[in-house]
Amino acid sequence: MSLCTQGLAEEASAAKPYSGDIWHRSTLTGDWFGVRNDLAAKGITFDMSLTQVYQGIVSGGKDEAWKYGGRGDLRFNLDTQKLGLWPGGFFTVEVEGNFTNSVNGLPERLIQ
């Protein structure tokens, strides 16, 4: 009986990948009040990621400067088969970028 129940729970989570508590859903921001799972079922998904870095020269340089920087990425996916347009069609639009500075831009004389 527990195997059947576990199988049904796994099917339900596969059908609604953005649902559940923070430890069991596929994304941090979740289902957006039901909208995100509905759009995914129709072939429209949004993915976002953010990487933040605080980096510096710990020792051995003339200037132990620290800099904050990061990278953001937004991805929009469109599955034309799920939308009922044509089978096998898939579009992805991705926007990515870096922000602020890193220690890589410091003059070499400061880090030697």
Side-chain angles (χ1 to χ4, degrees):
M1 182 72 170
S2 65
L3 291 176
C4 294
T5 306
Q6 182 180 1
L8 292 174
E10 289 174 2
E11 287 178 23
S13 67
K16 295 189 175 194
Y18 302 109
S19 295
D21 62 34
I22 194 166
W23 305 111
H24 296 98
R25 63 184 178 226
S26 65
T27 60
L28 178 65
T29 60
D31 188 22
W32 304 340
F33 304 102
V35 173
R36 199 168 188 184
N37 279 324
D38 291 342
L39 288 173
K42 294 174 184 170
I44 301 169
T45 59
F46 301 93
D47 297 311
M48 300 167 276
S49 68
L50 176 65
T51 303
Q52 300 180 78
V53 179
Y54 190 65
Q55 59 183 347
I57 301 158
V58 179
S59 67
K62 293 179 182 176
D63 182 5
E64 295 178 0
W66 287 79
K67 299 288 183 173
Y68 170 76
R71 175 175 183 79
D73 187 41
L74 301 170
R75 187 176 302 134
F76 172 72
N77 298 307
L78 186 70
D79 185 336
T80 60
Q81 184 166 343
K82 286 184 179 180
L83 283 169
L85 299 174
W86 63 86
F90 196 83
F91 292 102
T92 299
V93 175
E94 185 171 7
V95 177
E96 55 186 55
N98 299 325
F99 56 92
T100 67
N101 298 318
S102 73
V103 293
N104 296 334
L106 292 176
E108 189 175 331
R109 65 176 170 76
L110 294 178
I111 57 177
Q112 289 182 344

